[in-house]
Amino acid sequence: MSLASIVVLLSGMFALVFINYDYMQFRLLIAGNYIHTDVLNEMFQTHLGFVPDNYNRYFDNLVVAVVTQEIRQVGGDRFTYQYTPTMRQAQRNRVQQQAAQAEFREIADGVAYLWLPNISPQVENFVMDNKVELAGFDNLVLDLRGNGGGNLAVSQAISGLFLERRAVVGIDYARHNIFTRERRASGNIYLEFDQIIILQDYRTASAAESLIAALQANLDNVTTIGQTSVGKAVGQVTLPMRRGFAVRATVIYIQTPDGGSIHNVGLAPDIYLYGEDFIEFALELLGANNE
């Protein structure tokens, strides 16, 4: 290694220590020397669910947990929090179990029914695996009831099957302009239907709402049926940490393709529907006979 490289490396290490000096001192003071270990034990148990043998090893996780809890309590942002390893694995299992329930079938002559229980990579794979058969139908009933959302990139990929290349499917507004961007359809139209009926309810949220908004904004043959959706128009990033932990934080406002926001408002359906048979009602709108 050259002298210049050594100087650059040492300068970087010095800058890192200088920037984090206060926190490093605080960490050493509390994790290494604070006398009231009963208080520390209670904090670890409350925020992480266990008391570690070594406070130093998990002190950063404790700090993250405390800060994200304050964010939730002060700012009301329930989407910012820390995953413990157990929580993270449980979340992965829930997403996979939900995705496994995705359904595609013919419900009437020329009418396809597609139920997406969440917006996950597994659901994207399901849609892509069935897109050839889907393309053979005249009309589509897209069921997003109970869909709590998921991955915006997946929503973008699915909506791209219906839209022209480069069509705007949403806008991500970030704190720094460099990260603010339009999300656009990446492929050419693959799925074309005479009519698309979307079923939604009070549990339809997040990336599922983005999918609805993208189709509504770009197509003139979409009719939504059900109840007003949740209105979750903020997006999160999840960063993995050591020892299986991860931190999830809200980093963007999600806007509809025309620049509007549905946050805390939701998407109102074209036709309100509550107790009736949603699929039967959709078929009546299409003038189709149930199989």
Side-chain angles (χ1 to χ4, degrees):
M1 183 180 292
S2 67
L3 179 60
S5 298
I6 294 174
V7 170
V8 170
L9 179 61
L10 291 176
S11 297
M13 294 174 62
F14 175 80
L16 187 63
V17 171
F18 179 78
I19 292 171
N20 292 281
Y21 178 78
D22 289 347
Y23 176 73
M24 292 170 63
Q25 290 289 85
F26 173 73
R27 191 177 192 275
L28 178 63
L29 179 67
I30 300 300
N33 296 282
Y34 186 62
I35 192 66
H36 295 295
T37 54
D38 56 330
V39 174
L40 291 178
N41 289 346
E42 184 175 347
M43 291 181 66
F44 275 105
Q45 185 64 51
T46 298
H47 293 285
L48 300 186
F50 64 93
V51 177
D53 295 331
N54 186 328
Y55 294 140
N56 273 293
R57 188 178 185 195
Y58 291 96
F59 189 76
D60 292 348
N61 299 115
L62 177 62
V63 172
V64 171
V66 171
V67 170
T68 53
Q69 181 181 25
E70 282 296 299
I71 287 174
R72 293 194 302 275
Q73 292 180 346
V74 175
D77 178 10
R78 62 189 179 90
F79 307 112
T80 294
Y81 51 86
Q82 179 177 231
Y83 285 110
T84 65
T86 300
M87 289 171 56
R88 196 175 184 201
Q89 186 58 52
Q91 172 66 12
R92 287 171 174 164
N93 292 341
R94 282 194 299 270
V95 169
Q96 292 175 358
Q97 290 168 3
Q98 287 176 346
Q101 300 174 47
E103 183 181 356
F104 162 54
R105 59 188 169 94
E106 182 177 8
I107 55 174
D109 186 29
V111 181
Y113 171 80
L114 181 64
W115 178 44
L116 307 183
N118 61 32
I119 306 295
S120 64
Q122 294 89 345
V123 162
E124 179 183 359
N125 291 338
F126 177 82
V127 174
M128 297 305 173
D129 288 344
N130 289 282
K131 70 178 184 178
V132 174
E133 191 172 352
L134 264 171
F137 288 87
D138 298 321
N139 299 291
L140 172 67
V141 176
L142 176 59
D143 194 345
L144 298 177
R145 290 175 296 171
N147 188 318
N151 192 314
L152 280 175
V154 172
S155 175
Q156 179 179 354
I158 294 175
S159 62
L161 292 173
F162 297 81
L163 307 177
E164 293 182 356
R165 183 176 177 82
R166 302 293 295 163
V168 177
V169 299
I171 302 171
D172 297 341
Y173 180 79
R175 178 177 168 183
H176 301 291
N177 288 337
I178 191 174
F179 297 117
T180 295
R181 68 184 184 99
E182 290 181 334
R183 280 179 285 111
R184 294 179 177 268
S186 58
N188 294 315
I189 298 174
Y190 191 90
L191 299 175
E192 291 187 89
F193 300 100
D194 295 333
Q195 293 294 321
I196 299 173
I197 305 292
I198 300 178
L199 310 182
Q200 63 180 63
D201 64 10
Y202 59 91
R203 298 174 297 164
T204 304
S206 187
E209 293 175 294
S210 292
L211 176 57
I212 296 172
L215 298 183
Q216 283 183 317
N218 290 282
L219 300 174
D220 59 8
N221 62 342
V222 174
T223 302
T224 56
I225 298 174
Q227 301 113 45
T228 300
S229 61
V230 171
K232 179 185 179 292
V234 289
Q236 291 73 39
V237 164
T238 300
L239 293 180
M241 298 189 296
R242 294 178 299 163
R243 295 180 290 275
F245 285 83
V247 61
R248 177 179 172 89
T250 300
V251 296
I252 58 170
Y253 288 114
I254 303 169
Q255 297 178 332
T256 55
D258 61 1
S261 175
I262 61 165
H263 192 54
N264 294 328
V265 176
L267 288 167
D270 295 316
I271 301 173
Y272 281 91
L273 195 66
Y274 292 92
E276 299 183 48
D277 187 318
F278 278 59
I279 297 177
E280 188 65 37
F281 188 88
L283 289 174
E284 290 178 4
L285 281 182
L286 294 171
N289 294 319
N290 199 336
E291 287 287 295

